[in-house]
Amino acid sequence: MSDKYDVIVIGSGPAGYVAAIRAAQLGLKTACIEKWRDDKGNGVNGGTCLNVGCIPSKALLDSSHKYHDAKHAFEGHGIGTGDISIDVPSMIERKNRVVKQMSGGITGLFKANKVDSLYGTGKLLANHKVELTDNDGNKKVLDADNVILASGSIPVNIPPAPVDGEVIVDSTGALEFTEVPERLGVIGAGVIGLELGSVWSRLGSKVVCLEALDSFLAIMDQTIAKEAKKILTKQGLDIRLSCRVTGSEVVENNGKKEVIVTYTDQDGKEAKETFDKLIVCVGRRPYTDGLLADDSGVKLDERGSIYVNDLCSTSAPGVWAIGDVVRGPMLAHKGSEEGVMVAERIAGEKTVMNYDIIPNVIYTHPEIASVGKTEEQLKADGESYNVGTFPFLAIGRAVAADEAEGMVKMIADEKTDRVLGCHIVGPAAADLVQQVAIAMEFGSTAEDIGLTVFGHPTFSEAVKEAALAVHGHAIHMPNRKKR
Ligand SMILES: Cc1cc2nc3c(=O)[nH]c(=O)nc-3n(C[C@H](O)[C@H](O)[C@H](O)COP(=O)(O)OP(=O)(O)OC[C@H]3O[C@@H](n4cnc5c(N)ncnc54)[C@H](O)[C@@H]3O)c2cc1C
């Protein structure tokens, strides 16, 4: 194997592995360096997303949803189940098999595309050289015309609740509980906190989410966020806003460890709550530890992200950076698209990425999903727009499936009618919002979506009806006065 490459990618998460595959598809000699190891010390590809993020969390969300349905929903469909039990270690074992299958899939794709998969730690040196330290500590220097940094992110820790990996855990630890905690605290009611809180709540934990902000899902459209909060609260998640955690103490009670959390409540008073487990989910930070030699020429911004321009070029010529380690939403698909753009740019193509249309999903049940601008953003920007909303309660498929909670909210430009945003809480919201994302990519108007024939009965009819409602033309509900 020659040590000179067209492209070296550091990090094999969804940003890095996609960049490596696309670069190799374009005929570039490509290597991808990854330092992640499994519990046996073997190198594994896939990064946060496949190992401790998107995929394992969805595996547990699906398992816990099936359990919850069997226990609470089947009876309503006339299905008797007898006693339902949970075997948490089996559930975790299944999740681990899913992870192994998916990360093994990346390794297989690397082979099929002739990407050299190198296990070890990569460090960017000057003049796009890369030092590789393999898992036995041997070092060698590789040369490349282009280096793509895709080192991802790690969970943020907060001093009042230091993670001990046993009672106080981060999102990774929350995917490994061996039994259902009776009382579970979650610090942070954001995307990851709500998903992990939902998993354990469905399995029987009494979950309290302590959120420092005074609004729920502050970056989402607030009509949808309010509706989602109502639904999740009804499911048993105790979401407390304006609650700032100030301290925590792990104590022993009857031979069992528990944690007493101190926080300032919404009235500014000190409050305490005791939990069997506490998950700290206050966000993630870009990860660059040990990645950059002093003379690499790559600059960081004030938030510790690698500084890049719109095309993901860093301040060092021939060095690019993508995914969670650069600005923008920390989402797997955002990093993957950046990976494609950068690989194609290196190959001489003129690819650009549309940062305005990146769907965002929270995999609670029902799902919460959005694309484009929120009504709050448009108001702040002084834009004129029309809004159409439509409830799943008026969708036959949703009622038949007993999934009639939530709504679709469509926002279109007042003058041009172009769709500016779509926000959904409801069944299959992740897939429905993607339909609108495609429409938006093609510059669709609300009228275009309203004129499209949708299959019946489908959840997606709520998207069509919301688009019709933008002009007061919804069929299956009385229309509000056009705004
Ligand atoms: C619980 C959870 C659930 C999530 N759910 C979703 C979801 O549903 N949808 C979604 O879009 N996003 C989700 N995310 C976020 C998503 O996982 C990240 O946005 C995504 O993984 C970022 O991809 P990345 O390739 O930039 O970085 P990462 O996936 O973090 O990968 C970076 C890789 O680089 C490696 N690395 C770092 N430094 C070096 C080095 N010096 N040498 C060699 N290798 C190195 C790391 O070991 C790692 O494997 C979730 C995250 C969590 C924690």
Side-chain angles (χ1 to χ4, degrees):
M1 186 197 310
S2 143
D3 290 348
K4 167 81 182 152
Y5 288 95
D6 295 320
V7 180
I8 293 178
V9 184
I10 301 182
S12 72
Y17 85 73
V18 170
I21 290 173
R22 187 69 190 118
Q25 283 175 350
L26 291 161
L28 300 166
K29 183 172 163 52
T30 305
C32 185
I33 301 177
E34 175 54 64
K35 70 175 183 181
W36 201 292
R37 301 197 213 181
D38 65 15
D39 47 8
K40 296 189 185 75
N42 301 314
V44 280
N45 290 310
T48 303
C49 168
L50 267 67
N51 291 294
V52 295
C54 320
I55 301 302
S57 59
K58 269 76 235 176
L60 292 184
L61 278 159
D62 283 334
S63 294
S64 58
H65 182 59
K66 284 187 198 301
Y67 169 76
H68 191 266
D69 259 5
K71 200 155 169 98
H72 301 285
F74 281 10
E75 205 183 333
H77 292 263
I79 304 168
T81 52
D83 275 352
I84 300 281
S85 63
I86 327 171
D87 176 349
V88 177
S90 295
M91 208 176 265
I92 299 292
E93 205 28 60
R94 173 190 170 274
K95 180 264 299 175
N96 293 342
R97 284 197 303 277
V98 172
V99 165
K100 204 166 171 199
Q101 180 182 336
M102 297 310 293
S103 63
I106 304 303
T107 307
L109 285 171
F110 278 172
K111 267 195 199 124
N113 286 284
K114 301 196 171 37
V115 173
D116 284 345
S117 178
L118 308 176
Y119 293 119
T121 302
K123 181 177 195 170
L124 179 72
L125 310 176
N127 301 320
H128 26 99
K129 289 199 178 357
V130 173
E131 179 188 80
L132 169 67
T133 308
D134 72 16
N135 288 343
D136 297 321
N138 306 311
K139 288 184 192 298
K140 70 173 165 180
V141 174
L142 309 173
D143 201 358
D145 291 334
N146 288 276
V147 178
I148 305 176
L149 305 172
S151 53
S153 62
I154 55 170
V156 168
N157 286 316
I158 49 167
V163 168
D164 64 10
E166 192 189 349
V167 184
I168 307 180
V169 298
D170 57 19
S171 60
T172 301
L175 299 168
E176 297 295 336
F177 292 157
T178 48
E179 57 184 19
V180 180
E182 206 173 300
R183 301 159 301 174
L184 175 65
V186 181
I187 307 182
V191 179
I192 296 176
L194 290 176
E195 291 188 1
L196 294 174
S198 291
V199 166
W200 296 105
S201 161
R202 290 170 195 168
L203 297 178
S205 295
K206 186 178 172 328
V207 177
V208 177
C209 297
L210 299 171
E211 168 59 55
L213 294 179
D214 60 0
S215 56
F216 181 60
L217 294 176
I219 59 158
M220 304 289 280
D221 188 282
Q222 286 302 294
T223 312
I224 296 302
K226 283 195 184 102
E227 183 72 12
K229 183 162 183 281
K230 237 190 292 168
I231 296 170
L232 296 177
T233 303
K234 208 169 80 189
Q235 289 174 6
L237 285 185
D238 181 350
I239 300 164
R240 302 183 191 169
L241 302 177
S242 301
C243 289
R244 184 171 291 278
V245 172
T246 52
S248 63
E249 189 189 358
V250 176
V251 295
E252 229 171 90
N253 185 4
N254 287 329
K256 254 190 116 182
K257 283 189 177 169
E258 58 187 28
V259 53
I260 303 168
V261 174
T262 317
Y263 64 97
T264 321
D265 71 11
Q266 52 272 50
D267 302 320
K269 295 204 184 90
E270 187 179 286
K272 279 186 199 298
E273 196 76 52
T274 304
F275 303 110
D276 300 300
K277 298 275 185 200
L278 178 66
I279 313 176
V280 181
C281 284
V282 293
R284 298 179 63 80
R285 67 170 175 85
Y287 179 67
T288 54
D289 296 6
L291 179 70
L292 306 170
D294 290 345
D295 58 354
S296 71
V298 169
K299 292 201 179 94
L300 304 185
D301 66 19
E302 64 286 353
R303 304 178 65 192
S305 305
I306 294 177
Y307 173 78
V308 288
N309 66 12
D310 286 352
L311 301 173
C312 292
S313 227
T314 70
S315 41
V319 181
W320 312 72
I322 56 176
D324 280 11
V325 78
V326 303
R327 82 283 175 267
M330 287 190 173
L331 292 169
H333 42 285
K334 173 262 190 187
S336 299
E337 289 309 313
E338 288 176 333
V340 169
M341 172 177 71
V342 166
E344 296 186 352
R345 286 252 150 200
I346 291 172
E349 297 181 13
K350 297 275 174 250
T351 315
V352 290
M353 176 174 162
N354 185 356
Y355 282 94
D356 292 335
I357 304 180
I358 301 177
N360 192 357
V361 180
I362 307 174
Y363 291 86
T364 46
H365 190 89
E367 293 166 349
I368 308 163
S370 72
V371 65
K373 293 261 170 80
T374 64
E375 188 168 358
E376 290 73 24
Q377 283 171 326
L378 291 166
K379 257 192 201 137
D381 293 348
E383 304 280 348
S384 312
Y385 54 87
N386 290 317
V387 173
T389 56
F390 197 85
F392 283 98
L393 198 57
I395 295 294
R397 178 80 183 86
V399 175
D402 210 0
E403 299 276 1
E405 285 180 312
M407 65 164 92
V408 176
K409 174 173 178 179
M410 186 80 67
I411 311 180
D413 187 284
E414 189 180 43
K415 288 188 208 82
T416 65
D417 195 37
R418 270 175 86 138
V419 177
L420 301 174
C422 180
H423 310 278
I424 306 177
V425 53
D431 296 283
L432 300 190
V433 97
Q434 193 60 51
Q435 303 180 1
V436 182
I438 296 171
M440 288 172 73
E441 273 292 346
F442 285 91
S444 167
T445 61
E447 188 185 31
D448 291 329
I449 297 179
L451 285 170
T452 304
V453 181
F454 280 64
H456 174 77
T458 56
F459 297 129
S460 65
E461 286 171 291
V463 170
K464 177 186 169 91
E465 290 274 7
L468 289 170
V470 166
H471 301 293
H473 300 161
I475 300 294
H476 292 91
M477 69 167 190
N479 285 283
R480 287 209 193 120
K481 206 167 152 271
K482 180 173 162 296
R483 296 162 54 185

